[in-house]
Amino acid sequence: SDDKNLIAPSVESLRSMLADKRVIILVDEIAKYVKRFKMSKNRELQKYSESVIVFIENLAKAVENSASVLILTLPVEFRREKGHEEMLYEEAYADVAKSIHRAIQRVTSTYDVPLTVDDLVQVLKKRIFIEINVRRVSQLVTEIMGIYSSHKEIFGEKVLNRISKVVEYYPFHPAYIDLLYELVSRIKELQKTRDALRITRKVIRYIWDSEEDPSFIMPWHIDLRRRDIRRMVLTARIGDLKNAVSRDVVSEEGRLGSVSECEKPLLAL
């Protein structure tokens, strides 16, 4: 906008600009930029942050009943438990995200959860592997069924549920996917899809370059002895954990912590 007063364009002017054109407008993680402007010492940028929120609301209104579509992402987690719906806002951007969310809700309440566990598996398989050996899965399932059936006191009765996930997630073990999803969901600096891919590519590259030939990609392949993986997982926000990890598990230099005193250090790791 050429408006030096930083006033957001009106709904009418935006509607006029869109006219009857078929346009998809993609706005990715706008709250993080607005927050940066809002926290600035520059009063002009602070004012601009307020104008952006008004602009988003006006844009949503302009798009309504038009041939255009607005898709906007926010750092918000939607949860539905026992019929109760809840919106959880990422703490660092909560005030801005709430303001933008309220502005959008005045126009529409349509939203989508961006990434489920099953979605994550499909993204990883599609983006990393050219082909997956389905026959190998059948062989493994036969072996695993034998192990599970022989040790029900360890694995419990819900063997078929476990097996279906093994087939669906292969070559990832379901426990790997559960851990990865937990990491990218809970560590706020990580972006779900992008960092799940980054971590997994590193993990697979290390396996590929090693002499190991595992049946599955397992949770322990997110190996904190690898400095680059350690730095991705132990981010600044959870930096307090680094001392505990260095003492109990492994240091950044690769020295095993107190797990080295166990009878089977690698298993403890």
Side-chain angles (χ1 to χ4, degrees), residues 165-195:
K165 288 296 182 187
V166 166
V167 173
E168 185 183 344
Y169 288 5
Y170 182 81
F172 303 101
H173 191 280
Y176 174 87
I177 295 297
D178 289 345
L179 174 61
L180 183 66
Y181 189 82
E182 187 86 358
L183 290 172
V184 297
S185 297
R186 289 184 176 273
I187 300 173
K188 300 305 182 183
E189 292 100 326
L190 298 183
Q191 298 181 38
K192 277 188 178 174
T193 310
R194 187 177 303 171
D195 285 306

Side-chain angles (χ1 to χ4, degrees), residues 148 155-163:
Y148 279 7
F155 297 106
E157 297 292 331
K158 297 181 179 178
V159 173
L160 290 178
N161 287 348
R162 291 170 181 269
I163 291 296

Side-chain angles (χ1 to χ4, degrees), residues 51-63:
S51 295
V52 171
I53 295 173
V54 175
F55 167 68
I56 290 295
E57 182 175 357
N58 288 354
L59 182 60
K61 288 177 179 175
V63 164

Side-chain angles (χ1 to χ4, degrees), residues 5-9 46-56:
N5 294 318
L6 301 177
I7 296 172
Q46 291 174 16
K47 184 179 176 183
Y48 184 61
S49 73
E50 297 162 8
S51 295
V52 171
I53 295 173
V54 175
F55 167 68
I56 290 295

Side-chain angles (χ1 to χ4, degrees), residues 238-251:
I238 56 170
D240 292 346
L241 287 175
K242 287 183 180 178
N243 290 336
V245 171
S246 295
R247 184 187 68 236
D248 296 330
V249 188
V250 63
S251 70

